[in-house]
Amino acid sequence: MIKLYGFPISNYYNMVKLAMLEKGLAFEEENQMPSQEAAFKSMSPMGKVPCIETPEGFLSETSAILEYLDELKSTPALLPAHDFARAKVREIVRVIELYVELPARRHYPHLFFGAPRNEAAVEEAKPVLERGIAALKQLCHFRPFVGGEAFGMADIYAYYTFGLANAATKGIYNWDIIQAIPGLGATMAVIGSRASTKKCDAAREAAMAAFVASKK
Amino acid sequence: MIKLYGFPISNYYNMVKLAMLEKGLAFEEENQMPSQEAAFKSMSPMGKVPCIETPEGFLSETSAILEYLDELKSTPALLPAHDFARAKVREIVRVIELYVELPARRHYPHLFFGAPRNEAAVEEAKPVLERGIAALKQLCHFRPFVGGEAFGMADIYAYYTFGLANAATKGIYNWDIIQAIPGLGATMAVIGSRASTKKCDAAREAAMAAFVASKK
């Protein structure tokens, strides 16, 4: 039994949760906010969520967790079986993470948590995002899934990156990055129609409603 | 035969080159600067180096390339055989990349290429680096290698991250992040004494000398 620490508004939390649901792994959810307290950092050294507790110990960093889960239970696989095809999916995943998620994330404190607009971030993130979106237009398949014919790791990253990131680019640059990648919107709808994704999204919406109510 | 595109001053180029030397893979080097030209972006969609050309096509993003090389030729392995041990090495690698290499890199334009000092980067990178260094103190083994008893992926990332990143933190914060992690300095010396590393470093120093001479 794996224990998943985090909270259902976190996009990285939902990536790991979606992977476990897709793979049919048994897990429990433990509510945990990011924290710099020593007790939590003994489990997740950066104080970030998600982290997981396995029978062998704790593990953090979403990409390390997803690779671990895929090796722990090989079917259904999150990566193609063939070496080069696996590599090309990992390339897509890194492009989504490094050149879409991370630059878009710099706008979240302003857009979602009331921090002042970060003008350096507005300027620095734009060219990175432009190149990231162009790279994904070139790399993604959408037949119908991001990495090819089977659902997998690239879909998990895309689905839980583009929802938030697109809100950020629309808010800051008036730029719809889902529409900017032909085929992504339709693939997002396909991914969002899966039972596993619906389960994650329902928990996220309930947690978001509770969060909003608590601020009133 | 694999073709490696990039230039020997790039730390990510040296990570891939070191991996191929350690694994005894046959490869050719092709001198290539980062470029936004369409011809190069057809090979490396972000226009970054390194990228590799394989008999099956092009591949970019260092972490995807290293995983590919490790699957292509399984010995000597860059990751431990056991699932959880593999996961913990990947966790170290991600912490080095996301919370040391990427924040330190924001200072490289100022320190190495004469750009103005980026005050937002000075302020934003510091807490990320502090947490990253604390996390690595907790996660790394140094017995004698970063991830344990065998040389591997964590050593490749550490060696070609900390050399440059430490120059950045010393220059900007007067902070020696190698000394800040007990055991890292000795492990860096062990890694640097390998024949493979010496070969990469000699090529880097020659390229750096040629670069400096060209600017005089």
Short mmCIF file of all heavy atoms in Angstrom, two decimals, chain A residues 76-101:
data_model
loop_
_atom_site.label_atom_id
_atom_site.label_comp_id
_atom_site.label_asym_id
_atom_site.label_seq_id
_atom_site.Cartn_x
_atom_site.Cartn_y
_atom_site.Cartn_z
N PRO A 76 -0.97 -1.29 -16.71
CA PRO A 76 -0.70 -0.68 -18.02
C PRO A 76 0.50 0.26 -17.95
O PRO A 76 0.63 1.01 -16.99
CB PRO A 76 -2.00 0.09 -18.33
CG PRO A 76 -2.58 0.39 -16.98
CD PRO A 76 -2.21 -0.75 -16.10
N ALA A 77 1.34 0.20 -18.95
CA ALA A 77 2.58 0.97 -18.94
C ALA A 77 2.31 2.44 -19.22
O ALA A 77 1.42 2.78 -20.00
CB ALA A 77 3.53 0.41 -20.00
N LEU A 78 3.09 3.31 -18.57
CA LEU A 78 2.99 4.76 -18.83
C LEU A 78 3.97 5.20 -19.91
O LEU A 78 3.89 6.33 -20.39
CB LEU A 78 3.26 5.55 -17.55
CG LEU A 78 2.28 5.32 -16.39
CD1 LEU A 78 2.71 6.14 -15.18
CD2 LEU A 78 0.85 5.67 -16.80
N LEU A 79 4.88 4.31 -20.28
CA LEU A 79 5.86 4.61 -21.33
C LEU A 79 5.81 3.49 -22.36
O LEU A 79 5.56 2.33 -22.01
CB LEU A 79 7.27 4.69 -20.76
CG LEU A 79 7.61 5.91 -19.89
CD1 LEU A 79 8.94 5.71 -19.19
CD2 LEU A 79 7.65 7.18 -20.74
N PRO A 80 6.06 3.81 -23.65
CA PRO A 80 6.10 2.75 -24.67
C PRO A 80 7.18 1.72 -24.36
O PRO A 80 8.14 2.01 -23.63
CB PRO A 80 6.45 3.52 -25.96
CG PRO A 80 6.18 4.95 -25.67
CD PRO A 80 6.36 5.14 -24.20
N ALA A 81 7.06 0.54 -24.93
CA ALA A 81 8.02 -0.53 -24.65
C ALA A 81 9.34 -0.31 -25.37
O ALA A 81 10.41 -0.66 -24.86
CB ALA A 81 7.42 -1.88 -25.06
N HIS A 82 9.30 0.27 -26.55
CA HIS A 82 10.49 0.39 -27.38
C HIS A 82 11.38 1.56 -26.92
O HIS A 82 10.89 2.65 -26.66
CB HIS A 82 10.04 0.60 -28.83
CG HIS A 82 11.17 0.80 -29.78
ND1 HIS A 82 12.01 -0.21 -30.16
CD2 HIS A 82 11.62 1.92 -30.40
CE1 HIS A 82 12.92 0.26 -30.99
NE2 HIS A 82 12.70 1.55 -31.15
N ASP A 83 12.71 1.31 -26.82
CA ASP A 83 13.66 2.30 -26.28
C ASP A 83 13.50 3.70 -26.85
O ASP A 83 13.40 4.68 -26.10
CB ASP A 83 15.11 1.87 -26.57
CG ASP A 83 15.57 0.74 -25.66
OD1 ASP A 83 14.82 0.37 -24.75
OD2 ASP A 83 16.69 0.24 -25.88
N PHE A 84 13.52 3.82 -28.18
CA PHE A 84 13.52 5.17 -28.76
C PHE A 84 12.17 5.84 -28.56
O PHE A 84 12.10 7.04 -28.28
CB PHE A 84 13.89 5.12 -30.25
CG PHE A 84 14.15 6.49 -30.81
CD1 PHE A 84 15.29 7.20 -30.45
CD2 PHE A 84 13.25 7.08 -31.70
CE1 PHE A 84 15.53 8.47 -30.95
CE2 PHE A 84 13.48 8.35 -32.20
CZ PHE A 84 14.62 9.04 -31.83
N ALA A 85 11.10 5.08 -28.64
CA ALA A 85 9.77 5.65 -28.40
C ALA A 85 9.63 6.13 -26.95
O ALA A 85 9.05 7.18 -26.68
CB ALA A 85 8.69 4.61 -28.73
N ARG A 86 10.19 5.38 -26.01
CA ARG A 86 10.20 5.81 -24.60
C ARG A 86 10.94 7.14 -24.48
O ARG A 86 10.49 8.06 -23.78
CB ARG A 86 10.94 4.79 -23.72
CG ARG A 86 10.32 3.46 -23.62
CD ARG A 86 11.29 2.42 -23.05
NE ARG A 86 11.60 2.61 -21.64
CZ ARG A 86 10.80 2.25 -20.67
NH1 ARG A 86 9.63 1.69 -20.95
NH2 ARG A 86 11.13 2.42 -19.41
N ALA A 87 12.08 7.21 -25.14
CA ALA A 87 12.90 8.41 -25.06
C ALA A 87 12.15 9.63 -25.60
O ALA A 87 12.21 10.72 -25.02
CB ALA A 87 14.21 8.20 -25.84
N LYS A 88 11.42 9.44 -26.69
CA LYS A 88 10.71 10.57 -27.29
C LYS A 88 9.56 11.03 -26.39
O LYS A 88 9.23 12.21 -26.36
CB LYS A 88 10.20 10.22 -28.69
CG LYS A 88 11.28 9.98 -29.73
CD LYS A 88 12.21 11.18 -29.95
CE LYS A 88 11.58 12.32 -30.73
NZ LYS A 88 12.58 13.43 -30.99
N VAL A 89 8.94 10.10 -25.66
CA VAL A 89 7.91 10.52 -24.69
C VAL A 89 8.56 11.27 -23.53
O VAL A 89 8.05 12.31 -23.08
CB VAL A 89 7.09 9.30 -24.19
CG1 VAL A 89 6.21 9.70 -23.00
CG2 VAL A 89 6.23 8.76 -25.32
N ARG A 90 9.70 10.78 -23.05
CA ARG A 90 10.39 11.52 -21.98
C ARG A 90 10.81 12.91 -22.45
O ARG A 90 10.83 13.86 -21.67
CB ARG A 90 11.61 10.72 -21.49
CG ARG A 90 11.25 9.47 -20.69
CD ARG A 90 12.51 8.89 -20.05
NE ARG A 90 12.22 7.75 -19.18
CZ ARG A 90 12.60 6.50 -19.46
NH1 ARG A 90 13.26 6.21 -20.57
NH2 ARG A 90 12.32 5.52 -18.60
N GLU A 91 11.18 13.05 -23.71
CA GLU A 91 11.54 14.36 -24.25
C GLU A 91 10.32 15.30 -24.20
O GLU A 91 10.43 16.46 -23.77
CB GLU A 91 12.03 14.19 -25.70
CG GLU A 91 12.47 15.48 -26.39
CD GLU A 91 12.86 15.24 -27.85
OE1 GLU A 91 12.35 14.26 -28.47
OE2 GLU A 91 13.67 16.01 -28.38
N ILE A 92 9.16 14.81 -24.61
CA ILE A 92 7.94 15.62 -24.54
C ILE A 92 7.66 16.04 -23.09
O ILE A 92 7.35 17.20 -22.81
CB ILE A 92 6.73 14.83 -25.10
CG1 ILE A 92 6.86 14.62 -26.61
CG2 ILE A 92 5.40 15.56 -24.77
CD1 ILE A 92 5.81 13.69 -27.21
N VAL A 93 7.77 15.09 -22.18
CA VAL A 93 7.50 15.36 -20.76
C VAL A 93 8.41 16.46 -20.24
O VAL A 93 7.97 17.39 -19.55
CB VAL A 93 7.65 14.06 -19.94
CG1 VAL A 93 7.78 14.36 -18.45
CG2 VAL A 93 6.47 13.13 -20.21
N ARG A 94 9.69 16.39 -20.57
CA ARG A 94 10.64 17.41 -20.10
C ARG A 94 10.31 18.77 -20.71
O ARG A 94 10.43 19.80 -20.03
CB ARG A 94 12.08 17.04 -20.43
CG ARG A 94 12.70 15.95 -19.59
CD ARG A 94 13.11 16.39 -18.18
NE ARG A 94 11.98 16.37 -17.27
CZ ARG A 94 11.42 15.28 -16.77
NH1 ARG A 94 11.87 14.09 -17.07
NH2 ARG A 94 10.37 15.36 -15.96
N VAL A 95 9.93 18.80 -21.97
CA VAL A 95 9.59 20.08 -22.61
C VAL A 95 8.36 20.68 -21.92
O VAL A 95 8.32 21.88 -21.64
CB VAL A 95 9.37 19.90 -24.13
CG1 VAL A 95 8.78 21.17 -24.75
CG2 VAL A 95 10.69 19.54 -24.82
N ILE A 96 7.36 19.85 -21.63
CA ILE A 96 6.18 20.36 -20.91
C ILE A 96 6.59 20.91 -19.55
O ILE A 96 6.19 22.01 -19.16
CB ILE A 96 5.13 19.24 -20.74
CG1 ILE A 96 4.55 18.81 -22.09
CG2 ILE A 96 4.00 19.71 -19.80
CD1 ILE A 96 3.63 17.59 -22.02
N GLU A 97 7.41 20.18 -18.82
CA GLU A 97 7.76 20.58 -17.45
C GLU A 97 8.66 21.82 -17.45
O GLU A 97 8.37 22.79 -16.74
CB GLU A 97 8.46 19.43 -16.73
CG GLU A 97 8.77 19.79 -15.28
CD GLU A 97 9.49 18.68 -14.53
OE1 GLU A 97 10.06 17.78 -15.17
OE2 GLU A 97 9.49 18.74 -13.29
N LEU A 98 9.73 21.78 -18.23
CA LEU A 98 10.75 22.84 -18.13
C LEU A 98 10.34 24.11 -18.85
O LEU A 98 10.71 25.21 -18.43
CB LEU A 98 12.09 22.35 -18.69
CG LEU A 98 12.75 21.19 -17.94
CD1 LEU A 98 14.01 20.72 -18.68
CD2 LEU A 98 13.10 21.59 -16.51
N TYR A 99 9.60 24.00 -19.96
CA TYR A 99 9.38 25.17 -20.82
C TYR A 99 7.91 25.59 -20.90
O TYR A 99 7.58 26.52 -21.62
CB TYR A 99 9.98 24.93 -22.21
CG TYR A 99 11.36 24.30 -22.13
CD1 TYR A 99 11.63 23.06 -22.70
CD2 TYR A 99 12.39 24.92 -21.41
CE1 TYR A 99 12.88 22.47 -22.60
CE2 TYR A 99 13.65 24.34 -21.29
CZ TYR A 99 13.88 23.11 -21.89
OH TYR A 99 15.12 22.52 -21.77
N VAL A 100 7.02 24.88 -20.19
CA VAL A 100 5.64 25.33 -20.07
C VAL A 100 5.28 25.45 -18.58
O VAL A 100 4.95 26.52 -18.09
CB VAL A 100 4.64 24.40 -20.80
CG1 VAL A 100 3.20 24.92 -20.64
CG2 VAL A 100 5.00 24.28 -22.28
N GLU A 101 5.38 24.36 -17.85
CA GLU A 101 4.95 24.39 -16.45
C GLU A 101 5.78 25.38 -15.63
O GLU A 101 5.22 26.23 -14.92
CB GLU A 101 5.02 22.98 -15.84
CG GLU A 101 3.96 22.68 -14.79
CD GLU A 101 4.20 23.38 -13.47
OE1 GLU A 101 5.36 23.64 -13.11
OE2 GLU A 101 3.21 23.67 -12.77
#
